[in-house]
Amino acid sequence: MAKKVALLQGNEACAHGAIYAGAKFFGGYPITPSTEVAEVLSNELPKVGGKFIQMEDEIGAMAAVIGGALAGSKAITATSGPGVSLKQELIGYACIAEIPCVIINVMRGGPSTGMPTGPGQSDVMQARWGTHGDHAAIALAPASCQEIFSETVRAFNLAEKYRMPVQVVYDEIVGHMRERIVFPEPGELEVVERIAPTVEPKDYKPYDASKGDVPPLAAFGSEYRFHVTGLNKAADGFPTTKAELVDAEERRQIRKVEANAADIESNEEYLTEDAEVVILAYGSTARSARYAVNELRKEGVKAGLFRPITLWPFPEKRVAALAQQAKAIVVPELNLGQMILEVERVIKGNATLAGVNRVDGEPINPGQIMNKVKEVM
Amino acid sequence: MAYDYEKSIRPGKLPHIWCPGCGHGIVMKGLIRAMDTCGLEKNNTALVSGIGCASRLPGYMDYCTLHTAHGRAAAFATGVKMAKPEMTVICVGGDGDGTAIGGNHFIHACRRNIDMTYVIMNNSIYGMTGGQFSPCTPTGAKASTTPYGNPDPTFDISKLAIGAGATFVARTTAFHATQIDKLIAEGIQHKGMAVIEVLDDCPTTYGRRNKFRSVVDMMKRLKDIAVPVAAAAKMTAEQLEGKVLTGVLYKEDKPEYCEQYAKVIAKAQGA
């Protein structure tokens, strides 16, 4: 039988991806340009016995998502820049308490209210450093409607596998564009389930890392009873200020991502094998960059595209290697230079580095990228 | 016969952090008796709190316990309850946590009439951060951030809860220890949002600044200001000046949130 196909907006694809991944709980608060994710989930979740709740504000939405996740549901929220800012404290809570959940951020211009219907890529550092304290972060940046579907599924998988919040960040252009989607069959994409504890209930410790950096998480309302707090805690979940325990706990939570970077990372490379200039771009900007690469090749310029799909953890090793090979790296992004700082940090001066930036609500077009490439070559 | 509190206490987690004379322990004992009266199953009951002295309570109790961020208890609890409506969900916390930073979540949990019980320990002050004024600090009172006397008007938590749509609202005080468990038990048994306000005392950061010479003075004040609803009905406005009504202040039957959402699911699934 032919697969189901549809013409969907990126945001709609996101909602269907969440259902495919087994999402059973959505808590949110309306904000443009992310609202279609909520609208579609309000329609789809009850069909599969899931719950949709529109909360009183963004903070309440994030709180409800964590509560729903703790009660055993795969949980998701969708928002945009200012909404993510409001959610940050509780994203940090989900980090320290190690509660799996997915946060969709459809990026618009900003700061503050900015351009609610204009695209931006200016939350990429917010996805990494938005909340307070030291913690690891996972953020995925799809560039097409089909990929929003599959990356949303992967976000749930990573959240459940590594027991932490995972963000999916894409700009308004990808969120609102319509493309043909081929729905994967059940079983076609991997769907990861939470690792449940197997110990006797009386022996359960929610942060017992003696068997690995990701301890199993029981659900409230199961046979396991435990304590959850946002305070630094010992293996049993109860607060501690004991220096060695706090230190070990913080480092473990960062290590569980760093040590598994190879499993978490996903990148696309296009004509980079012999590239003398590498364009590093993500989201909708990468689509313009790919076009620019093709045009430049026609003109005899050895250009290639490196597209990080996983923004965080940042693909340090591969970007550093590309800088050894290429003469220049060009980073187009819909902000005034955020991810380029990360590129600068890892390439250590081994290639000429230049940015192409816009914050006027217009997409970066291939011509702009081509001009910059010619300028630096 | 003496009540066996130990069966509800988590082994090894006492002593608690509360100061001598603090009323929170009295409320906790009342809560334990109420939960036992209702026969709550430990594995199927979530105790949720925000931040502050009162919010440390769940850690001492042998249930599924969730100590969240400042003010967010009702919102976390809403997520737990929605995801698992079969669970009994009880929120506990202080007045600042519940009605200042958490005010929005509190009123909307009331509005939804979601089936949870919210026990607010109202000691009129931010205790854990050292005695700053809260929305429940009496006007004119001294706090560490009102050195000239509190200029702010004061919230009436119970009225706020009734106005926002809670379908069971009751009030008592830490002095009236035996009434605490009766009201909380009634709240737990009520289907819908139940708010139990317990007027509480903080000798360390409130009493000390406001000329209460001892904990006994603070308790005596709680005893003196409380007027049972039935008695108040026979009193004049003049006699009620400065008094606080106690007992069940409001009760009604209205559709409960999770039951309403179950109908949404049934409709979506074509029932």
Side-chain angles (χ1 to χ4, degrees):
Chain A
M1 208 174 84
K3 280 186 187 171
K4 189 184 158 198
V5 295
L7 183 68
L8 291 185
Q9 264 189 2
N11 283 343
E12 295 167 344
C14 173
H16 288 288
I19 297 288
Y20 185 96
K24 286 288 186 295
F25 188 93
F26 176 94
Y29 185 81
I31 180 167
T32 305
S34 74
T35 42
E36 294 84 3
V37 180
E39 286 165 359
V40 174
L41 283 172
S42 72
N43 197 50
E44 297 301 318
L45 273 170
K47 289 183 192 169
V48 295
K51 314 290 168 65
F52 172 93
I53 187 166
Q54 185 169 307
M55 289 296 284
E56 52 275 7
D57 60 29
E58 294 281 7
I59 305 171
M62 194 63 218
V65 161
I66 296 172
L70 196 48
S73 295
K74 287 188 177 179
I76 177 171
T77 188
T79 185
S80 295
V84 182
S85 298
L86 288 170
K87 285 175 157 67
Q88 287 296 356
E89 184 196 1
L90 295 187
I91 292 174
Y93 185 97
C95 287
I96 195 169
E98 298 183 80
I99 311 293
C101 55
V102 171
I103 300 127
I104 307 295
N105 177 3
V106 189
M107 292 183 287
R108 62 197 224 180
S112 190
T113 313
M115 275 186 304
T117 54
Q121 292 178 320
S122 47
D123 296 337
V124 291
M125 284 294 166
Q126 189 179 203
R128 177 65 190 91
W129 301 110
T131 191
H132 56 283
D134 293 290
H135 60 91
I138 299 178
L140 313 176
S144 71
C145 296
Q146 187 77 52
E147 199 173 72
I148 288 176
F149 186 105
S150 56
E151 286 303 297
T152 301
V153 175
R154 203 164 70 93
F156 275 100
N157 290 347
L158 294 170
E160 298 295 341
K161 193 170 179 182
Y162 295 108
R163 217 185 132 174
M164 63 185 286
V166 172
Q167 299 193 44
V168 182
V169 294
Y170 54 86
D171 49 86
E172 184 271 346
I173 296 172
V174 199
H176 278 161
M177 67 164 56
R178 281 186 186 275
E179 289 184 305
R180 182 175 183 268
I181 297 274
V182 181
F183 280 80
E185 297 289 337
E188 194 176 329
L189 297 183
E190 184 190 23
V191 170
V192 173
E193 301 302 332
R194 198 173 298 178
I195 306 155
T198 50
V199 295
E200 284 291 309
K202 64 174 173 47
D203 299 327
Y204 179 60
K205 290 183 179 151
Y207 304 96
D208 177 10
S210 59
K211 292 194 177 66
D213 284 343
V214 189
L217 176 62
F220 271 13
S222 67
E223 70 270 34
Y224 294 92
R225 270 197 312 281
F226 57 105
H227 185 61
V228 180
T229 177
L231 290 162
N232 282 102
K233 66 228 171 279
D236 62 1
F238 286 90
T240 182
T241 51
K242 221 174 182 180
E244 65 270 29
L245 292 181
V246 171
D247 185 80
E249 188 75 355
E250 293 245 350
R251 288 179 193 278
R252 172 181 65 78
Q253 293 187 3
I254 290 168
R255 188 173 60 234
K256 73 181 176 182
V257 171
E258 281 183 351
N260 292 293
D263 176 52
I264 298 164
E265 274 178 32
S266 166
N267 312 300
E268 184 199 359
E269 296 197 29
Y270 179 62
L271 303 179
T272 49
E273 298 82 0
D274 63 340
E276 289 173 357
V277 56
V278 171
I279 304 167
L280 185 147
Y282 48 92
S284 72
T285 308
R287 300 170 71 128
S288 292
R290 191 182 176 97
Y291 191 97
V293 166
N294 287 336
E295 293 300 304
L296 287 163
R297 286 272 169 177
K298 281 181 207 161
E299 293 177 22
V301 180
K302 284 187 176 170
L305 168 68
F306 180 82
R307 180 170 73 92
I309 301 171
T310 308
L311 296 184
W312 307 110
F314 188 74
E316 295 189 2
K317 282 184 192 143
R318 185 60 191 143
V319 173
L322 285 169
Q324 299 277 358
Q325 163 201 323
K327 287 187 193 135
I329 296 183
V330 172
V331 184
E333 43 185 346
L334 290 173
N335 57 52
L336 290 179
Q338 293 194 15
M339 202 49 99
I340 195 172
L341 298 173
E342 197 67 8
V343 179
E344 186 179 33
R345 181 180 73 80
V346 303
I347 68 171
K348 296 184 168 61
N350 282 324
T352 304
L353 183 62
V356 182
N357 309 89
R358 281 188 96 142
V359 285
D360 59 355
E362 296 294 324
I364 291 171
N365 61 55
Q368 287 175 286
I369 299 170
M370 290 168 69
N371 287 344
K372 183 58 75 176
V373 167
K374 287 171 191 166
E375 199 182 302
V376 298
M377 284 304 281
Chain B
M1 202 181 83
Y3 185 86
D4 177 17
Y5 292 94
E6 267 187 37
K7 62 184 181 185
S8 303
I9 301 284
R10 216 170 223 141
K13 296 305 168 194
L14 292 178
H16 57 68
I17 60 157
W18 300 319
C19 305
C22 169
H24 294 349
I26 299 171
V27 181
M28 186 166 107
K29 288 180 82 173
L31 179 67
I32 289 172
R33 292 191 301 270
M35 291 171 84
D36 190 49
T37 301
C38 296
L40 299 183
E41 201 191 311
K42 287 182 173 185
N43 287 341
N44 206 36
T45 303
L47 262 175
V48 188
S49 67
I51 294 286
C53 302
S55 287
R56 287 301 184 95
L57 188 153
Y60 309 127
M61 303 271 282
D62 192 16
Y63 290 86
C64 304
T65 53
L66 178 55
H67 177 229
T68 71
H70 197 29
R72 314 302 169 200
F76 274 78
T78 297
V80 173
K81 182 71 186 176
M82 267 291 270
K84 278 218 172 112
E86 64 273 23
M87 284 189 88
T88 301
V89 176
I90 299 171
C91 286
V92 294
D95 48 305
D97 181 66
T99 68
I101 189 165
N104 204 27
H105 310 308
F106 177 68
I107 60 176
H108 287 278
C110 292
R111 172 179 65 83
R112 289 187 190 101
N113 193 34
I114 189 161
D115 185 28
M116 62 172 75
T117 305
Y118 199 140
V119 179
I120 296 200
M121 288 162 251
N122 177 2
N123 61 6
S124 318
I125 204 77
Y126 286 92
M128 192 169 265
T129 42
Q132 298 78 22
F133 74 98
S134 92
C136 297
T137 302
T139 305
K142 290 279 179 68
S144 69
T145 47
T146 56
Y148 304 106
N150 178 24
D152 281 26
T154 309
F155 258 152
D156 181 327
I157 294 177
S158 291
K159 274 189 188 168
L160 179 69
I162 296 167
T167 49
F168 180 91
V169 179
R171 180 162 51 205
T172 185
T173 86
F175 176 83
H176 300 83
T178 55
Q179 195 181 26
I180 295 172
D181 50 308
K182 290 187 182 70
L183 293 176
I184 296 176
E186 212 179 321
I188 292 169
Q189 281 153 358
H190 175 80
K191 187 92 187 165
M193 180 73 177
V195 176
I196 292 92
E197 178 185 3
V198 184
L199 298 178
D200 204 348
D201 67 301
C202 174
T204 305
T205 70
Y206 185 83
R208 190 165 53 84
R209 286 189 178 86
N210 288 285
K211 299 200 166 58
F212 287 94
R213 300 182 65 87
S214 69
V215 174
V216 175
D217 286 349
M218 299 198 82
M219 280 291 165
K220 194 169 175 307
R221 177 184 155 270
L222 293 176
K223 174 178 176 264
D224 290 344
I225 60 170
V227 178
V229 182
K234 298 171 198 147
M235 289 166 70
T236 65
E238 212 169 52
Q239 288 170 314
L240 285 170
E241 182 73 33
K243 303 287 186 189
V244 177
L245 300 195
T246 55
V248 178
L249 306 180
Y250 187 77
K251 192 176 179 178
E252 84 169 296
D253 284 324
K254 257 193 352 199
E256 190 274 327
Y257 191 76
C258 295
E259 287 183 354
Q260 291 300 101
Y261 198 81
K263 290 180 193 168
V264 170
I265 292 177
K267 204 168 177 180
Q269 294 181 341

